[in-house]
Amino acid sequence: MYKICKTTKSELRQIEFQETLLKLLQKQKMKDITIVSLCKEMHISRKTFYQYFDTIEDVLYIIIDKELRNGFLFLEMNAEICAFFEFWKKQKWLLDIMQKNGMSQLLIDRAYNHAFLEGKTELFSLDYMKQAGWISAILTILILWHHSGMKQTPKEMECLFYEMFHSK
């Protein structure tokens, strides 16, 4: 798990970890990156790493979580599914990293963590099931769209999404 930063200095350090991991992911796969290699790249000790994260995956999780929050916030503000797909078209770089590392499902897993672990929804209620289904549907469509090369426009994806839920 990653730590919640309480100071600007610690937030900046955490961002530095994220940026360094993304830089390393351009050259190698996630499974080949270690805490030692990340710290070496940053010229810091492993002890410093553990002040912010428990595992190397936690660095990736904070990146994914931030983009998920931004994506769903963007959707809430625009109230259009199209806006959600427009947002993710700009974040293709993260989807590319996740696909390259066989981690696309992680997007859905992290979204569930945020939606349901925040305690806003009672487990196994109708609201829980609706929210779980909605999150799973839109993110699965997003992942499939990305894996197929994002050839359709965000507007076409919005139409596909609504068609899927309104078909008989």
Side-chain angles (χ1 to χ4, degrees):
M1 182 160 177
Y2 54 85
K3 316 301 192 281
I4 304 300
C5 295
K6 296 179 181 167
T7 66
T8 303
K9 182 180 177 185
S10 62
E11 283 179 22
L12 292 173
R13 175 61 83 166
Q14 221 174 39
I15 290 168
E16 186 180 354
F17 277 108
Q18 295 166 50
E19 290 171 348
T20 304
L21 178 63
L22 290 173
K23 180 178 155 189
L24 290 173
L25 282 168
Q26 291 177 7
K27 299 180 234 170
Q28 53 193 336
K29 290 195 174 213
M30 184 71 181
K31 68 179 178 65
D32 299 326
I33 300 171
T34 64
I35 292 170
V36 172
S37 65
L38 181 66
C39 291
K40 186 177 178 183
E41 184 74 24
M42 293 177 67
H43 307 288
I44 60 166
S45 69
R46 284 189 314 164
K47 183 180 175 183
T48 303
F49 175 87
Y50 289 112
Q51 291 175 344
Y52 299 92
F53 303 97
D54 293 332
T55 67
I56 195 79
E57 289 80 12
D58 290 338
V59 183
L60 182 61
Y61 295 163
I62 198 169
I63 296 166
I64 294 168
D65 293 350
K66 180 178 78 174
E67 296 306 329
L68 277 168
R69 275 192 305 278
N70 291 340
F72 281 109
L73 181 64
F74 194 72
L75 176 60
E76 286 176 26
M77 290 182 344
N78 291 288
E80 292 180 4
I81 299 295
C82 182
F84 180 81
F85 288 104
E86 286 171 358
F87 172 84
W88 280 102
K89 189 152 187 139
K90 293 174 186 163
Q91 308 316 77
K92 182 182 179 298
W93 59 270
L94 180 57
L95 298 172
D96 290 344
I97 287 169
M98 294 174 71
Q99 182 179 3
K100 174 183 162 190
N101 287 281
M103 299 176 150
S104 296
Q105 178 63 36
L106 188 56
L107 198 63
I108 295 171
D109 296 342
R110 298 306 296 176
Y112 282 148
N113 281 347
H114 282 286
F116 305 125
L117 294 181
E118 291 177 355
K120 293 179 182 175
T121 308
E122 183 183 329
L123 293 179
F124 301 107
S125 65
L126 181 57
D127 285 342
Y128 176 91
M129 296 300 174
K130 284 179 181 178
Q131 191 171 9
W134 188 87
I135 288 170
S136 181
I138 195 165
L139 291 177
T140 299
I141 292 170
L142 171 67
I143 292 165
L144 292 171
W145 179 50
H146 175 260
H147 287 204
S148 69
M150 295 180 146
K151 295 173 186 138
Q152 300 81 4
T153 66
K155 190 67 180 167
E156 289 171 323
M157 293 308 298
E158 177 183 56
C159 291
L160 178 75
F161 182 82
Y162 285 130
E163 200 173 302
M164 186 175 109
F165 284 100
H166 292 96
S167 64
K168 295 180 184 185

